[in-house]
Amino acid sequence: MKIVIAPDSFKGSLTSSEVADCIEIGLQRVFPDAEICKVPVSDGGDGFVTALLSNFKSANYFEAQVVNPIGTPIIARFAFIDTKTAVLDIASASGLDLLESKQYDPMISSTYGTGMLIKEAIGRGASTIILGLGGSATNDAGIGLLQALGFNLLNDSGKEVGLGGRSLSAIHTVNCDNVPCEVKATQFILATDVNNILLGPGGATMVFGPQKGASPAMLKDLEAGMENWDKRVSTFSGKQLATTPGVGAAGGTAYTMMSFLRSKIVSGLELFFDFIGFDKLISEADLVVTGEGRLDGQSQFGKVPLGVARRVKQTGQIPVVAINGSIDGENSWVYDNGLDAVFSCIQGVTELENAIRNARNSLIIAAERAARALAINITTVNQDLKGITYEK
């Protein structure tokens, strides 16, 4: 029996690799002789580089000193998968997890550190950069990233504007004279798990701003800044990209990179699958197990469990099971999207802190519970697997 374990991370507690390890332990308590293939997955969010490169044995990691979203010096990692292709994620330099909740403030948080990381990768020879756009703390439309790369963003007096979302309203002119040729020549592949546009109720600010600490008053100011930035960009570049699906990713960073750099937006999950040869990995699988920290309505829109299920069902009728940290509300829709069964780690009423603290053990127990339920079906229905011993 071959089982492929392909989960996302459990945000705030376990990486996707750690989740896969826990699920393996639980499954092996029931299926000790199974062949298990672990595939840590990311859709472009937190841990994108780590998850992607855990499937590349020859990847080379590098470190660079950059700044976090509020300007504090930190060390961030990136990697090369060949001599010209670097993989980065915005969360490593400009991520929400780099801040304490009391520091969340999209008016001042900036993507400058991500620009520094990109500059370092280009300096080491990258001509193609794959950038995961999930998990940012920013709503600055990526202007900090541009500033780090040599773009001059000027107000109506010809002076450089500051950093953060509050500076969007002040921008009047964009000057590219100091941007290195190497930056202009670099190809950027923007991996994202969202399809949001730039402006309006479904745009970057209104949908994601509150998660990053924006008050109602801030949302109004940030949206006005985004509108000004879109007006300036349209005038400067002649491009009309604000309604393009996906440009709202990372607080509008995708919009700005599409406008000023050689960039294209791709599904982070589909890119991940193609890079690691996922279809081949599951070609002889009898079962695929996936999961994420929380299965809820947002899971329908490009999140890992349903993305895994849909990809698996494209190649055959392999059963797909999701083991999640929690399951929110009525979820019959998951079965229309390729999942055959879902299980939760939460064993009773508990505080979030306790759930995070006990995530590892709870996940192992949930995986064993799922395996025991599956074993009943396997040993009574699937004649090809009669040789499997179900240990009570």
Side-chain angles (χ1 to χ4, degrees):
M1 181 184 190
K2 180 179 178 180
I3 304 173
V4 174
I5 303 173
D8 199 354
S9 62
F10 279 27
K11 187 173 179 60
S13 56
L14 300 170
T15 67
S16 53
S17 293
E18 291 170 335
V19 172
D21 290 341
C22 292
I23 292 175
E24 178 184 33
I25 293 170
L27 295 179
Q28 286 184 327
R29 291 178 177 177
V30 181
F31 303 125
D33 298 323
E35 175 191 351
I36 292 181
C37 174
K38 292 181 291 185
V39 186
V41 178
S42 174
D43 52 15
D46 297 354
F48 177 66
V49 172
T50 301
L52 181 62
L53 298 183
S54 66
N55 298 282
F56 283 85
K57 305 304 180 184
S58 60
N60 293 312
Y61 284 90
F62 296 91
E63 292 185 341
Q65 181 168 311
V66 299
V67 293
N68 75 2
I70 58 174
T72 303
I74 59 170
I75 299 296
R77 290 206 310 168
F78 63 98
F80 277 78
I81 55 176
D82 59 44
T83 57
K84 295 295 183 180
T85 305
V87 183
L88 294 70
D89 57 52
I90 197 169
S92 65
S94 308
L96 200 63
D97 285 350
L98 298 174
L99 305 176
E100 298 179 22
S101 58
K102 64 182 180 182
Q103 297 175 310
Y104 293 179
D105 186 348
M107 297 296 286
I108 64 173
S109 59
S110 168
T111 51
Y112 194 91
T114 298
M116 296 173 71
L117 200 61
I118 289 171
K119 191 174 181 179
E120 179 74 16
I122 293 174
R124 289 183 176 273
S127 57
T128 297
I129 291 178
I130 301 170
L131 178 63
L133 287 180
S136 77
T138 58
N139 202 94
D140 72 343
I143 63 169
L145 183 152
L146 287 190
Q147 289 165 310
L149 293 177
F151 289 82
N152 298 117
L153 309 181
L154 310 175
N155 62 21
D156 55 6
S157 298
K159 296 182 179 180
E160 191 81 25
V161 302
L163 298 174
R166 64 186 177 190
S167 296
L168 289 167
S169 294
I171 300 171
H172 185 268
T173 306
V174 180
N175 188 311
C176 303
D177 292 346
N178 296 319
V179 180
C181 295
E182 294 83 2
V183 171
K184 295 178 180 179
T186 300
Q187 174 68 57
F188 292 91
I189 300 172
L190 310 179
T192 179
D193 62 346
V194 302
N195 291 315
N196 301 79
I197 59 176
L198 184 68
L199 303 170
T205 300
M206 295 305 174
V207 173
F208 301 111
Q211 301 172 13
K212 301 173 183 183
S215 66
M218 285 184 188
L219 290 175
K220 183 178 179 180
D221 290 342
L222 288 166
E223 184 75 355
M226 285 286 191
E227 291 172 354
N228 176 66
W229 178 234
D230 178 48
K231 178 181 178 181
R232 301 305 174 185
V233 170
S234 299
T235 300
F236 180 85
S237 68
K239 297 180 180 180
Q240 304 288 332
L241 299 176
T243 58
T244 302
V247 296
T253 297
Y255 168 82
T256 293
M257 295 187 72
M258 290 281 289
S259 299
F260 290 96
L261 300 167
R262 296 180 60 219
S263 305
K264 64 178 181 179
I265 296 172
V266 301
S267 161
L269 199 52
E270 295 304 318
L271 179 146
F272 185 93
F273 288 149
D274 292 341
F275 252 84
I276 69 170
F278 187 70
D279 294 344
K280 183 177 180 180
L281 290 173
I282 63 172
S283 61
E284 297 180 355
D286 300 293
L287 172 68
V288 175
V289 181
T290 184
E292 65 178 345
R294 181 178 176 86
L295 187 70
D296 57 23
Q298 288 295 315
S299 300
Q300 301 178 66
F301 305 106
K303 299 297 184 180
V304 167
L306 269 65
V308 168
R310 291 168 184 152
R311 186 77 172 219
V312 170
K313 298 304 183 182
Q314 289 175 9
T315 64
Q317 294 304 308
I318 304 166
V320 184
V321 171
I323 302 174
N324 308 284
S326 65
I327 301 173
D328 183 44
E330 195 280 327
N331 52 62
S332 60
W333 49 265
V334 303
Y335 309 116
D336 298 326
N337 286 275
L339 286 174
D340 296 293
V342 296
F343 298 86
S344 172
C345 293
I346 304 299
Q347 301 179 58
V349 178
T350 185
E351 297 290 336
L352 177 60
E353 293 76 10
N354 290 332
I356 292 174
R357 187 183 310 114
N358 298 319
R360 185 181 302 275
N361 190 54
S362 297
L363 183 53
I364 292 171
I365 293 172
E368 179 181 0
R369 189 188 313 125
R372 292 187 181 279
L374 292 166
I376 295 172
N377 181 63
I378 288 171
T379 55
T380 57
V381 178
N382 193 334
Q383 298 300 310
D384 294 333
L385 300 174
K386 277 187 175 180
I388 295 175
T389 300
Y390 171 35
E391 299 289 342
K392 292 186 177 180

